[in-house]
Amino acid sequence: MDKTITRGPTWTRFLIAAARAHAPWRLALLPLAGAAALGHPLRLVDRAKLKGMTQRLMIGRHVSDATMRDLAVRFAEATDADHVLEAARARIAADRAEGYRLVLATASYRYYAETIGARLGFADVIATEVRRDAAGDVLSGVAGDNCYGPAKQAMIEAWFAREGIAREAAHVRFYSDHVSDAPALEAADEAFAVNAHAPLRRLAAARGWTVLDWR
Protein backbone atom coordinates (compact mmCIF):
# COMPACT_ATOMS: atom_id res chain seq x y z
CA MET A 1 0.00 0.00 0.00
CA ASP A 2 2.52 2.62 1.14
CA LYS A 3 4.23 4.31 -1.83
CA THR A 4 2.67 1.81 -4.22
CA ILE A 5 -0.95 2.93 -3.99
CA THR A 6 -0.36 5.99 -1.80
CA ARG A 7 1.90 8.95 -2.50
CA GLY A 8 4.00 8.19 0.54
CA PRO A 9 4.08 6.29 3.84
CA THR A 10 0.88 6.24 5.87
CA TRP A 11 1.95 5.39 9.43
CA THR A 12 3.28 8.78 10.50
CA ARG A 13 0.37 10.50 8.76
CA PHE A 14 -2.05 8.27 10.68
CA LEU A 15 -0.34 8.91 14.01
CA ILE A 16 -0.47 12.68 13.54
CA ALA A 17 -4.09 12.63 12.36
CA ALA A 18 -5.12 10.33 15.20
CA ALA A 19 -3.34 12.40 17.83
CA ARG A 20 -4.89 15.61 16.49
CA ALA A 21 -8.38 14.11 16.65
CA HIS A 22 -8.06 11.99 19.81
CA ALA A 23 -5.53 13.70 22.09
CA PRO A 24 -4.07 16.90 20.60
CA TRP A 25 -1.63 17.33 23.50
CA ARG A 26 0.20 14.25 22.22
CA LEU A 27 1.40 16.21 19.19
CA ALA A 28 4.02 17.62 21.55
CA LEU A 29 5.44 14.08 21.72
CA LEU A 30 6.06 13.93 17.97
CA PRO A 31 9.80 14.70 18.37
CA LEU A 32 10.08 11.72 20.74
CA ALA A 33 8.38 9.51 18.17
CA GLY A 34 10.79 10.81 15.55
CA ALA A 35 13.75 10.07 17.81
CA ALA A 36 12.43 6.53 18.35
CA ALA A 37 12.17 6.08 14.58
CA LEU A 38 15.87 6.87 14.24
CA GLY A 39 16.57 3.70 16.18
CA HIS A 40 15.41 1.51 13.31
CA PRO A 41 18.11 2.31 10.72
CA LEU A 42 20.64 2.06 13.56
CA ARG A 43 19.28 -1.46 14.27
CA LEU A 44 18.39 -0.48 17.83
CA VAL A 45 14.70 -1.32 17.39
CA ASP A 46 12.87 -3.52 14.89
CA ARG A 47 9.84 -2.43 12.86
CA ALA A 48 7.31 -4.19 15.07
CA LYS A 49 8.63 -2.67 18.29
CA LEU A 50 8.83 0.74 16.65
CA LYS A 51 5.14 0.55 15.74
CA GLY A 52 4.24 -0.19 19.33
CA MET A 53 6.43 2.59 20.71
CA THR A 54 5.16 5.28 18.35
CA GLN A 55 1.51 4.25 18.77
CA ARG A 56 1.91 4.39 22.54
CA LEU A 57 3.41 7.88 22.33
CA MET A 58 1.01 9.40 19.81
CA ILE A 59 -2.30 7.64 20.56
CA GLY A 60 -1.88 5.89 23.90
CA ARG A 61 -1.48 2.46 25.43
CA HIS A 62 -5.20 1.73 25.26
CA VAL A 63 -7.81 2.98 22.80
CA SER A 64 -11.39 1.75 22.65
CA ASP A 65 -12.32 -0.19 19.54
CA ALA A 66 -15.05 2.34 18.75
CA THR A 67 -12.62 5.26 18.94
CA MET A 68 -10.06 3.50 16.77
CA ARG A 69 -12.70 2.68 14.19
CA ASP A 70 -13.69 6.34 14.08
CA LEU A 71 -10.06 7.43 13.71
CA ALA A 72 -9.54 4.88 10.94
CA VAL A 73 -12.62 6.06 9.02
CA ARG A 74 -11.49 9.68 9.21
CA PHE A 75 -8.01 8.76 8.08
CA ALA A 76 -9.28 6.60 5.21
CA GLU A 77 -11.44 9.47 3.98
CA ALA A 78 -8.48 11.87 4.06
CA THR A 79 -6.19 9.33 2.38
CA ASP A 80 -8.72 8.64 -0.34
CA ALA A 81 -9.13 12.37 -0.93
CA ASP A 82 -5.53 13.43 -1.39
CA HIS A 83 -3.00 10.62 -0.90
CA VAL A 84 -3.92 7.94 -3.45
CA LEU A 85 -2.10 7.86 -6.79
CA GLU A 86 -4.50 8.18 -9.71
CA ALA A 87 -2.57 5.66 -11.79
CA ALA A 88 -2.97 3.19 -8.92
CA ARG A 89 -6.73 3.78 -8.92
CA ALA A 90 -6.79 3.12 -12.66
CA ARG A 91 -4.88 -0.15 -12.31
CA ILE A 92 -7.11 -1.29 -9.44
CA ALA A 93 -10.16 -0.63 -11.62
CA ALA A 94 -8.60 -2.40 -14.59
CA ASP A 95 -7.71 -5.52 -12.59
CA ARG A 96 -11.20 -5.62 -11.11
CA ALA A 97 -12.70 -5.32 -14.60
CA GLU A 98 -10.58 -8.29 -15.70
CA GLY A 99 -12.13 -10.34 -12.93
CA TYR A 100 -9.27 -10.37 -10.43
CA ARG A 101 -10.04 -10.65 -6.73
CA LEU A 102 -8.30 -7.66 -5.18
CA VAL A 103 -6.27 -8.37 -2.04
CA LEU A 104 -4.30 -5.69 -0.22
CA ALA A 105 -1.20 -7.10 1.51
CA THR A 106 0.49 -4.48 3.66
CA ALA A 107 2.70 -4.03 6.70
CA SER A 108 0.31 -1.32 7.90
CA TYR A 109 -1.99 -2.11 10.79
CA ARG A 110 -5.25 -3.72 9.78
CA TYR A 111 -7.32 -1.28 11.81
CA TYR A 112 -6.77 1.47 9.24
CA ALA A 113 -5.52 -0.47 6.18
CA GLU A 114 -8.78 -2.41 6.02
CA THR A 115 -10.79 0.81 5.96
CA ILE A 116 -8.63 2.28 3.19
CA GLY A 117 -8.81 -0.98 1.25
CA ALA A 118 -12.59 -1.03 1.45
CA ARG A 119 -12.81 2.49 0.05
CA LEU A 120 -10.58 1.51 -2.86
CA GLY A 121 -12.56 -1.62 -3.67
CA PHE A 122 -10.34 -4.36 -2.24
CA ALA A 123 -12.16 -7.55 -1.33
CA ASP A 124 -9.65 -8.70 1.29
CA VAL A 125 -6.83 -7.29 3.38
CA ILE A 126 -3.76 -9.09 4.72
CA ALA A 127 -2.09 -6.80 7.27
CA THR A 128 -0.29 -6.47 10.57
CA GLU A 129 -2.56 -7.15 13.53
CA VAL A 130 -2.54 -5.04 16.68
CA ARG A 131 -2.69 -6.30 20.25
CA ARG A 132 -6.16 -6.16 21.80
CA ASP A 133 -7.55 -6.78 25.26
CA ALA A 134 -10.37 -9.14 26.16
CA ALA A 135 -12.97 -6.49 25.26
CA GLY A 136 -11.45 -6.00 21.82
CA ASP A 137 -10.00 -2.59 22.58
CA VAL A 138 -6.70 -1.65 20.96
CA LEU A 139 -3.44 -1.90 22.87
CA SER A 140 -0.04 -0.74 21.65
CA GLY A 141 2.12 -3.34 19.94
CA VAL A 142 2.00 -5.93 17.19
CA ALA A 143 0.09 -9.18 17.62
CA GLY A 144 1.84 -12.00 15.77
CA ASP A 145 4.08 -11.17 12.83
CA ASN A 146 4.65 -7.79 11.29
CA CYS A 147 3.38 -8.25 7.72
CA TYR A 148 6.73 -7.43 6.13
CA GLY A 149 9.33 -9.26 4.07
CA PRO A 150 9.19 -13.06 4.25
CA ALA A 151 6.43 -12.82 6.87
CA LYS A 152 4.20 -11.10 4.32
CA GLN A 153 4.54 -13.97 1.87
CA ALA A 154 3.88 -16.48 4.66
CA MET A 155 0.73 -14.56 5.58
CA ILE A 156 -0.36 -14.52 1.94
CA GLU A 157 0.08 -18.30 1.77
CA ALA A 158 -1.91 -18.66 4.99
CA TRP A 159 -4.67 -16.52 3.44
CA PHE A 160 -4.82 -18.85 0.42
CA ALA A 161 -5.18 -21.81 2.78
CA ARG A 162 -7.95 -20.15 4.84
CA GLU A 163 -9.84 -19.22 1.69
CA GLY A 164 -9.52 -22.75 0.31
CA ILE A 165 -7.81 -21.50 -2.85
CA ALA A 166 -5.27 -23.84 -4.43
CA ARG A 167 -2.29 -21.73 -5.42
CA GLU A 168 -1.85 -23.58 -8.69
CA ALA A 169 -5.44 -22.77 -9.61
CA ALA A 170 -4.91 -19.01 -9.21
CA HIS A 171 -3.14 -16.45 -11.37
CA VAL A 172 -1.45 -13.93 -9.10
CA ARG A 173 -0.37 -10.40 -9.93
CA PHE A 174 1.69 -8.72 -7.23
CA TYR A 175 2.63 -5.04 -7.08
CA SER A 176 5.26 -3.52 -4.77
CA ASP A 177 7.58 -0.55 -4.45
CA HIS A 178 10.11 -2.19 -2.12
CA VAL A 179 12.70 -4.96 -2.35
CA SER A 180 11.51 -6.34 1.00
CA ASP A 181 8.61 -7.82 -0.97
CA ALA A 182 10.95 -9.95 -3.08
CA PRO A 183 9.52 -13.23 -1.66
CA ALA A 184 5.97 -12.27 -2.72
CA LEU A 185 7.14 -10.95 -6.08
CA GLU A 186 9.06 -14.18 -6.73
CA ALA A 187 5.97 -16.23 -5.89
CA ALA A 188 3.66 -14.28 -8.22
CA ASP A 189 2.76 -15.23 -11.77
CA GLU A 190 3.19 -11.59 -12.75
CA ALA A 191 5.44 -9.31 -10.71
CA PHE A 192 5.34 -5.52 -10.95
CA ALA A 193 7.93 -3.19 -9.44
CA VAL A 194 5.93 0.01 -8.94
CA ASN A 195 7.51 3.37 -8.02
CA ALA A 196 10.48 1.20 -7.13
CA HIS A 197 13.52 2.30 -5.19
CA ALA A 198 16.95 1.46 -6.61
CA PRO A 199 17.40 -2.00 -5.01
CA LEU A 200 14.05 -3.20 -6.35
CA ARG A 201 14.76 -1.72 -9.79
CA ARG A 202 17.99 -3.69 -9.93
CA LEU A 203 16.27 -6.90 -8.84
CA ALA A 204 13.43 -6.34 -11.32
CA ALA A 205 15.95 -5.95 -14.14
CA ALA A 206 17.66 -9.18 -13.11
CA ARG A 207 14.37 -11.10 -12.79
CA GLY A 208 12.64 -9.62 -15.82
CA TRP A 209 9.81 -8.11 -13.77
CA THR A 210 7.72 -5.29 -15.21
CA VAL A 211 8.66 -1.84 -13.92
CA LEU A 212 5.86 0.75 -13.58
CA ASP A 213 5.85 4.35 -12.42
CA TRP A 214 2.50 5.54 -11.06
CA ARG A 215 3.75 8.83 -9.61
Side-chain angles (χ1 to χ4, degrees):
M1 181 172 73
D2 288 16
K3 296 195 288 187
T4 306
I5 292 172
T6 60
R7 299 182 185 281
T10 57
W11 180 231
T12 300
R13 284 172 58 94
F14 175 76
L15 290 175
I16 293 171
R20 184 176 289 120
H22 178 58
W25 66 268
R26 288 187 177 274
L27 293 172
L29 302 178
L30 188 58
L32 287 178
L38 292 176
H40 175 65
L42 296 174
R43 300 181 183 276
L44 299 176
V45 59
D46 65 23
R47 290 175 182 272
K49 288 182 180 178
L50 180 59
K51 283 181 178 176
M53 291 168 61
T54 51
Q55 178 177 308
R56 188 161 59 249
L57 283 167
M58 299 303 297
I59 311 177
R61 294 176 180 273
H62 178 280
V63 181
S64 73
D65 180 61
T67 296
M68 191 61 85
R69 286 178 183 273
D70 179 62
L71 294 173
V73 167
R74 294 189 193 190
F75 183 66
E77 289 173 350
T79 299
D80 192 16
D82 67 7
H83 203 51
V84 175
L85 294 162
E86 291 308 312
R89 290 186 195 275
R91 191 57 177 253
I92 290 168
D95 281 349
R96 185 188 304 111
E98 287 186 44
Y100 281 90
R101 180 173 175 178
L102 303 182
V103 182
L104 180 63
T106 176
S108 298
Y109 275 125
R110 175 181 296 278
Y111 58 68
Y112 73 83
E114 195 165 56
T115 310
I116 293 171
R119 289 186 69 91
L120 296 177
F122 283 86
D124 302 273
V125 172
I126 299 165
T128 302
E129 303 290 350
V130 74
R131 293 175 56 243
R132 293 180 182 268
D133 65 14
D137 291 338
V138 174
L139 306 175
S140 60
V142 171
D145 291 326
N146 189 37
C147 188
Y148 182 85
K152 181 181 287 187
Q153 177 54 21
M155 292 168 77
I156 291 171
E157 292 171 358
W159 177 86
F160 269 97
R162 287 196 304 274
E163 295 296 311
I165 301 171
R167 175 61 186 88
E168 61 274 13
H171 183 91
V172 175
R173 288 176 173 170
F174 192 86
Y175 303 85
S176 177
D177 72 287
H178 200 273
V179 73
S180 63
D181 281 329
L185 289 161
E186 294 275 13
D189 298 294
E190 295 182 70
F192 298 89
V194 182
N195 311 330
H197 65 158
L200 180 55
R201 282 186 174 271
R202 290 194 292 270
L203 184 61
R207 296 288 194 270
W209 297 337
T210 301
V211 177
L212 301 172
D213 192 340
W214 290 347
R215 292 167 293 196

